[in-house]
Amino acid sequence: MLEKYEKWMSRFFTALGSMFFIILVLMTFVQVITRYVVNISFPWAEEFLRFCYTYMILFGLLTTTQIQVPLLRHFISQKIHYGWLLSSCLYVIMLFTLWILLQGGLKIYSMNMNSYYSAFKISKSWVYVPFVICIVLESIRIILALIHCAKSKALGEL
């Protein structure tokens, strides 16, 4: 189940991140050409590019697995008989940390709900939506990995 979830996340968010990257490159190119060649500037382009850049980075983060320390993983697998238990404890610590980050992300989102971009007239809080999405989806991945680790009694990814 974990492999299916990671494969789906990787495909879906690679496509989304790539789409935002292409839009970012094309819109920047159009903005440069119109500003310096035609001497026309679009006031909404900078705000639009900020959204694309934010979403591209955050969706790109969802395509990668967690960073692990190979030395720690080797030490746990060689020296500790119940390495899967330590791995499970680290998953719980990661979930707690993500929960704290989620609370902060929701607080920042709600603080910016009444602040609007000048060109789009939409709330600045929309820039923080991918942050919340990333935390929720990463939490789902960690929960699935924790369940897999507990069932198989094998050392999971740290």
PDB file of all heavy atoms in Angstrom, residues 2 10 21 23 30 34 39-40 75-76 78 86 88 92 103 107 112 114 119 129 132 136 139 141 152 156:
ATOM      1  N   LEU A   2       1.956   1.215   0.773  1.00  0.00           N
ATOM      2  CA  LEU A   2       2.857   2.363   0.838  1.00  0.00           C
ATOM      3  C   LEU A   2       3.501   2.627  -0.517  1.00  0.00           C
ATOM      4  O   LEU A   2       3.615   3.779  -0.940  1.00  0.00           O
ATOM      5  CB  LEU A   2       3.938   2.126   1.903  1.00  0.00           C
ATOM      6  CG  LEU A   2       4.990   3.209   2.062  1.00  0.00           C
ATOM      7  CD1 LEU A   2       4.348   4.516   2.511  1.00  0.00           C
ATOM      8  CD2 LEU A   2       6.050   2.779   3.050  1.00  0.00           C
ATOM      9  N   SER A  10       4.255  10.467  -6.480  1.00  0.00           N
ATOM     10  CA  SER A  10       5.371  10.859  -7.330  1.00  0.00           C
ATOM     11  C   SER A  10       4.891  11.246  -8.720  1.00  0.00           C
ATOM     12  O   SER A  10       5.273  12.285  -9.249  1.00  0.00           O
ATOM     13  CB  SER A  10       6.384   9.721  -7.408  1.00  0.00           C
ATOM     14  OG  SER A  10       7.477  10.105  -8.184  1.00  0.00           O
ATOM     15  N   PHE A  21       6.213  24.653 -13.402  1.00  0.00           N
ATOM     16  CA  PHE A  21       7.528  25.089 -13.891  1.00  0.00           C
ATOM     17  C   PHE A  21       7.417  25.636 -15.317  1.00  0.00           C
ATOM     18  O   PHE A  21       7.984  26.686 -15.638  1.00  0.00           O
ATOM     19  CB  PHE A  21       8.528  23.934 -13.842  1.00  0.00           C
ATOM     20  CG  PHE A  21       9.868  24.292 -14.400  1.00  0.00           C
ATOM     21  CD1 PHE A  21      10.722  25.132 -13.707  1.00  0.00           C
ATOM     22  CD2 PHE A  21      10.265  23.803 -15.636  1.00  0.00           C
ATOM     23  CE1 PHE A  21      11.965  25.475 -14.223  1.00  0.00           C
ATOM     24  CE2 PHE A  21      11.497  24.140 -16.158  1.00  0.00           C
ATOM     25  CZ  PHE A  21      12.351  24.973 -15.449  1.00  0.00           C
ATOM     26  N   ILE A  23       4.749  26.852 -16.791  1.00  0.00           N
ATOM     27  CA  ILE A  23       4.027  28.133 -16.720  1.00  0.00           C
ATOM     28  C   ILE A  23       4.954  29.234 -16.223  1.00  0.00           C
ATOM     29  O   ILE A  23       4.946  30.345 -16.759  1.00  0.00           O
ATOM     30  CB  ILE A  23       2.788  28.005 -15.810  1.00  0.00           C
ATOM     31  CG1 ILE A  23       1.745  27.110 -16.468  1.00  0.00           C
ATOM     32  CG2 ILE A  23       2.197  29.374 -15.499  1.00  0.00           C
ATOM     33  CD1 ILE A  23       0.592  26.735 -15.556  1.00  0.00           C
ATOM     34  N   VAL A  30       7.513  35.844 -21.264  1.00  0.00           N
ATOM     35  CA  VAL A  30       6.555  36.830 -21.791  1.00  0.00           C
ATOM     36  C   VAL A  30       6.699  38.157 -21.047  1.00  0.00           C
ATOM     37  O   VAL A  30       6.689  39.225 -21.658  1.00  0.00           O
ATOM     38  CB  VAL A  30       5.112  36.285 -21.694  1.00  0.00           C
ATOM     39  CG1 VAL A  30       4.080  37.373 -21.944  1.00  0.00           C
ATOM     40  CG2 VAL A  30       4.922  35.130 -22.654  1.00  0.00           C
ATOM     41  N   THR A  34       7.691  41.570 -22.959  1.00  0.00           N
ATOM     42  CA  THR A  34       6.760  42.704 -22.995  1.00  0.00           C
ATOM     43  C   THR A  34       7.301  43.918 -22.238  1.00  0.00           C
ATOM     44  O   THR A  34       7.025  45.052 -22.622  1.00  0.00           O
ATOM     45  CB  THR A  34       5.391  42.314 -22.406  1.00  0.00           C
ATOM     46  OG1 THR A  34       5.565  41.828 -21.081  1.00  0.00           O
ATOM     47  CG2 THR A  34       4.707  41.293 -23.281  1.00  0.00           C
ATOM     48  N   ASN A  39       7.661  47.544 -23.952  1.00  0.00           N
ATOM     49  CA  ASN A  39       7.553  48.536 -22.895  1.00  0.00           C
ATOM     50  C   ASN A  39       6.159  48.537 -22.235  1.00  0.00           C
ATOM     51  O   ASN A  39       5.607  49.570 -21.898  1.00  0.00           O
ATOM     52  CB  ASN A  39       7.892  49.939 -23.403  1.00  0.00           C
ATOM     53  CG  ASN A  39       8.381  50.834 -22.279  1.00  0.00           C
ATOM     54  OD1 ASN A  39       8.795  50.347 -21.227  1.00  0.00           O
ATOM     55  ND2 ASN A  39       8.324  52.131 -22.502  1.00  0.00           N
ATOM     56  N   ILE A  40       5.616  47.327 -22.076  1.00  0.00           N
ATOM     57  CA  ILE A  40       4.346  47.131 -21.386  1.00  0.00           C
ATOM     58  C   ILE A  40       4.598  46.154 -20.240  1.00  0.00           C
ATOM     59  O   ILE A  40       5.257  45.138 -20.421  1.00  0.00           O
ATOM     60  CB  ILE A  40       3.269  46.541 -22.322  1.00  0.00           C
ATOM     61  CG1 ILE A  40       2.976  47.490 -23.475  1.00  0.00           C
ATOM     62  CG2 ILE A  40       1.994  46.226 -21.559  1.00  0.00           C
ATOM     63  CD1 ILE A  40       2.074  46.878 -24.536  1.00  0.00           C
ATOM     64  N   PHE A  75      23.918   1.907  11.506  1.00  0.00           N
ATOM     65  CA  PHE A  75      24.138   1.658  12.934  1.00  0.00           C
ATOM     66  C   PHE A  75      22.935   0.965  13.555  1.00  0.00           C
ATOM     67  O   PHE A  75      23.079   0.016  14.307  1.00  0.00           O
ATOM     68  CB  PHE A  75      24.422   2.976  13.670  1.00  0.00           C
ATOM     69  CG  PHE A  75      24.521   2.822  15.159  1.00  0.00           C
ATOM     70  CD1 PHE A  75      25.655   2.267  15.739  1.00  0.00           C
ATOM     71  CD2 PHE A  75      23.469   3.208  15.978  1.00  0.00           C
ATOM     72  CE1 PHE A  75      25.746   2.106  17.111  1.00  0.00           C
ATOM     73  CE2 PHE A  75      23.540   3.054  17.351  1.00  0.00           C
ATOM     74  CZ  PHE A  75      24.688   2.503  17.923  1.00  0.00           C
ATOM     75  N   ILE A  76      21.752   1.446  13.218  1.00  0.00           N
ATOM     76  CA  ILE A  76      20.542   0.857  13.792  1.00  0.00           C
ATOM     77  C   ILE A  76      20.372  -0.586  13.320  1.00  0.00           C
ATOM     78  O   ILE A  76      20.063  -1.473  14.110  1.00  0.00           O
ATOM     79  CB  ILE A  76      19.303   1.706  13.432  1.00  0.00           C
ATOM     80  CG1 ILE A  76      19.361   3.040  14.179  1.00  0.00           C
ATOM     81  CG2 ILE A  76      18.013   0.964  13.767  1.00  0.00           C
ATOM     82  CD1 ILE A  76      18.291   4.012  13.754  1.00  0.00           C
ATOM     83  N   GLN A  78      22.689  -2.679  12.321  1.00  0.00           N
ATOM     84  CA  GLN A  78      23.763  -3.560  12.761  1.00  0.00           C
ATOM     85  C   GLN A  78      23.808  -3.752  14.283  1.00  0.00           C
ATOM     86  O   GLN A  78      24.081  -4.838  14.759  1.00  0.00           O
ATOM     87  CB  GLN A  78      25.118  -3.009  12.296  1.00  0.00           C
ATOM     88  CG  GLN A  78      25.287  -2.946  10.803  1.00  0.00           C
ATOM     89  CD  GLN A  78      25.273  -4.320  10.169  1.00  0.00           C
ATOM     90  OE1 GLN A  78      25.783  -5.273  10.724  1.00  0.00           O
ATOM     91  NE2 GLN A  78      24.653  -4.414   9.001  1.00  0.00           N
ATOM     92  N   LEU A  86      12.818   1.355  17.048  1.00  0.00           N
ATOM     93  CA  LEU A  86      13.392   2.700  17.032  1.00  0.00           C
ATOM     94  C   LEU A  86      12.893   3.477  15.820  1.00  0.00           C
ATOM     95  O   LEU A  86      12.560   4.661  15.919  1.00  0.00           O
ATOM     96  CB  LEU A  86      14.918   2.637  17.036  1.00  0.00           C
ATOM     97  CG  LEU A  86      15.642   3.974  17.007  1.00  0.00           C
ATOM     98  CD1 LEU A  86      15.281   4.817  18.225  1.00  0.00           C
ATOM     99  CD2 LEU A  86      17.140   3.773  16.936  1.00  0.00           C
ATOM    100  N   SER A  88      10.058   3.052  14.347  1.00  0.00           N
ATOM    101  CA  SER A  88       8.673   3.411  14.639  1.00  0.00           C
ATOM    102  C   SER A  88       8.604   4.624  15.563  1.00  0.00           C
ATOM    103  O   SER A  88       7.763   5.514  15.373  1.00  0.00           O
ATOM    104  CB  SER A  88       7.940   2.236  15.286  1.00  0.00           C
ATOM    105  OG  SER A  88       7.886   1.146  14.403  1.00  0.00           O
ATOM    106  N   VAL A  92       6.852   8.385  14.909  1.00  0.00           N
ATOM    107  CA  VAL A  92       5.937   9.082  15.818  1.00  0.00           C
ATOM    108  C   VAL A  92       6.450  10.492  16.096  1.00  0.00           C
ATOM    109  O   VAL A  92       5.674  11.450  16.114  1.00  0.00           O
ATOM    110  CB  VAL A  92       5.754   8.273  17.120  1.00  0.00           C
ATOM    111  CG1 VAL A  92       4.992   9.072  18.166  1.00  0.00           C
ATOM    112  CG2 VAL A  92       5.048   6.957  16.832  1.00  0.00           C
ATOM    113  N   GLN A 103      -0.229  23.117  12.636  1.00  0.00           N
ATOM    114  CA  GLN A 103      -0.876  24.159  13.440  1.00  0.00           C
ATOM    115  C   GLN A 103      -0.347  25.541  13.066  1.00  0.00           C
ATOM    116  O   GLN A 103      -1.117  26.491  12.923  1.00  0.00           O
ATOM    117  CB  GLN A 103      -0.658  23.907  14.926  1.00  0.00           C
ATOM    118  CG  GLN A 103      -1.487  22.791  15.480  1.00  0.00           C
ATOM    119  CD  GLN A 103      -1.269  22.629  16.972  1.00  0.00           C
ATOM    120  OE1 GLN A 103      -0.213  22.927  17.507  1.00  0.00           O
ATOM    121  NE2 GLN A 103      -2.298  22.153  17.655  1.00  0.00           N
ATOM    122  N   LYS A 107      -2.373  28.607  11.245  1.00  0.00           N
ATOM    123  CA  LYS A 107      -2.409  29.924  11.900  1.00  0.00           C
ATOM    124  C   LYS A 107      -1.982  31.021  10.917  1.00  0.00           C
ATOM    125  O   LYS A 107      -2.626  32.065  10.824  1.00  0.00           O
ATOM    126  CB  LYS A 107      -1.487  29.920  13.117  1.00  0.00           C
ATOM    127  CG  LYS A 107      -1.569  31.164  13.941  1.00  0.00           C
ATOM    128  CD  LYS A 107      -0.721  31.044  15.198  1.00  0.00           C
ATOM    129  CE  LYS A 107      -0.862  32.280  16.065  1.00  0.00           C
ATOM    130  NZ  LYS A 107      -0.093  32.152  17.304  1.00  0.00           N
ATOM    131  N   ASN A 112      -3.639  35.607   7.270  1.00  0.00           N
ATOM    132  CA  ASN A 112      -3.575  36.291   5.976  1.00  0.00           C
ATOM    133  C   ASN A 112      -4.886  36.246   5.195  1.00  0.00           C
ATOM    134  O   ASN A 112      -4.923  36.669   4.043  1.00  0.00           O
ATOM    135  CB  ASN A 112      -2.459  35.685   5.118  1.00  0.00           C
ATOM    136  CG  ASN A 112      -1.108  36.073   5.614  1.00  0.00           C
ATOM    137  OD1 ASN A 112      -0.769  37.249   5.646  1.00  0.00           O
ATOM    138  ND2 ASN A 112      -0.322  35.094   6.033  1.00  0.00           N
ATOM    139  N   ASN A 114      -7.537  38.035   5.468  1.00  0.00           N
ATOM    140  CA  ASN A 114      -8.095  39.355   5.179  1.00  0.00           C
ATOM    141  C   ASN A 114      -7.106  40.277   4.487  1.00  0.00           C
ATOM    142  O   ASN A 114      -7.346  41.472   4.368  1.00  0.00           O
ATOM    143  CB  ASN A 114      -8.606  40.004   6.469  1.00  0.00           C
ATOM    144  CG  ASN A 114      -9.762  39.230   7.046  1.00  0.00           C
ATOM    145  OD1 ASN A 114     -10.573  38.676   6.312  1.00  0.00           O
ATOM    146  ND2 ASN A 114      -9.829  39.158   8.361  1.00  0.00           N
ATOM    147  N   ALA A 119      -3.395  43.020  -7.500  1.00  0.00           N
ATOM    148  CA  ALA A 119      -3.824  42.775  -8.882  1.00  0.00           C
ATOM    149  C   ALA A 119      -4.923  41.715  -8.974  1.00  0.00           C
ATOM    150  O   ALA A 119      -5.872  41.866  -9.724  1.00  0.00           O
ATOM    151  CB  ALA A 119      -2.633  42.348  -9.729  1.00  0.00           C
ATOM    152  N   VAL A 129      -1.690  27.405   1.159  1.00  0.00           N
ATOM    153  CA  VAL A 129      -2.455  26.173   0.972  1.00  0.00           C
ATOM    154  C   VAL A 129      -1.554  24.985   0.619  1.00  0.00           C
ATOM    155  O   VAL A 129      -1.704  23.910   1.202  1.00  0.00           O
ATOM    156  CB  VAL A 129      -3.577  26.372  -0.076  1.00  0.00           C
ATOM    157  CG1 VAL A 129      -4.218  25.060  -0.470  1.00  0.00           C
ATOM    158  CG2 VAL A 129      -4.619  27.332   0.464  1.00  0.00           C
ATOM    159  N   VAL A 132       0.068  23.409   3.728  1.00  0.00           N
ATOM    160  CA  VAL A 132      -0.844  22.565   4.501  1.00  0.00           C
ATOM    161  C   VAL A 132      -1.066  21.235   3.784  1.00  0.00           C
ATOM    162  O   VAL A 132      -1.053  20.163   4.406  1.00  0.00           O
ATOM    163  CB  VAL A 132      -2.174  23.307   4.752  1.00  0.00           C
ATOM    164  CG1 VAL A 132      -3.203  22.404   5.404  1.00  0.00           C
ATOM    165  CG2 VAL A 132      -1.933  24.557   5.599  1.00  0.00           C
ATOM    166  N   VAL A 136      -0.120  17.419   5.256  1.00  0.00           N
ATOM    167  CA  VAL A 136      -1.138  16.369   5.382  1.00  0.00           C
ATOM    168  C   VAL A 136      -0.728  15.128   4.585  1.00  0.00           C
ATOM    169  O   VAL A 136      -0.793  13.996   5.087  1.00  0.00           O
ATOM    170  CB  VAL A 136      -2.523  16.897   4.937  1.00  0.00           C
ATOM    171  CG1 VAL A 136      -3.527  15.766   4.805  1.00  0.00           C
ATOM    172  CG2 VAL A 136      -3.022  17.947   5.914  1.00  0.00           C
ATOM    173  N   SER A 139       2.163  13.366   6.183  1.00  0.00           N
ATOM    174  CA  SER A 139       1.700  12.654   7.375  1.00  0.00           C
ATOM    175  C   SER A 139       1.058  11.322   6.989  1.00  0.00           C
ATOM    176  O   SER A 139       1.276  10.311   7.665  1.00  0.00           O
ATOM    177  CB  SER A 139       0.696  13.507   8.154  1.00  0.00           C
ATOM    178  OG  SER A 139       1.297  14.678   8.627  1.00  0.00           O
ATOM    179  N   ARG A 141       1.829   9.562   4.368  1.00  0.00           N
ATOM    180  CA  ARG A 141       2.929   8.680   3.983  1.00  0.00           C
ATOM    181  C   ARG A 141       3.635   8.105   5.208  1.00  0.00           C
ATOM    182  O   ARG A 141       3.961   6.917   5.254  1.00  0.00           O
ATOM    183  CB  ARG A 141       3.932   9.425   3.113  1.00  0.00           C
ATOM    184  CG  ARG A 141       4.936   8.494   2.447  1.00  0.00           C
ATOM    185  CD  ARG A 141       6.024   9.255   1.736  1.00  0.00           C
ATOM    186  NE  ARG A 141       6.971   9.825   2.668  1.00  0.00           N
ATOM    187  CZ  ARG A 141       7.898   9.125   3.326  1.00  0.00           C
ATOM    188  NH1 ARG A 141       7.973   7.830   3.188  1.00  0.00           N
ATOM    189  NH2 ARG A 141       8.729   9.713   4.134  1.00  0.00           N
ATOM    190  N   SER A 152       5.587  -5.586   9.493  1.00  0.00           N
ATOM    191  CA  SER A 152       6.660  -6.427   8.981  1.00  0.00           C
ATOM    192  C   SER A 152       7.815  -6.593   9.958  1.00  0.00           C
ATOM    193  O   SER A 152       8.680  -7.431   9.748  1.00  0.00           O
ATOM    194  CB  SER A 152       7.191  -5.852   7.668  1.00  0.00           C
ATOM    195  OG  SER A 152       7.838  -4.609   7.920  1.00  0.00           O
ATOM    196  N   GLY A 156      12.294   0.439   8.722  1.00  0.00           N
ATOM    197  CA  GLY A 156      11.738   1.292   7.691  1.00  0.00           C
ATOM    198  C   GLY A 156      12.687   2.413   7.325  1.00  0.00           C
ATOM    199  O   GLY A 156      13.748   2.578   7.913  1.00  0.00           O
TER     200      GLY A 156
END
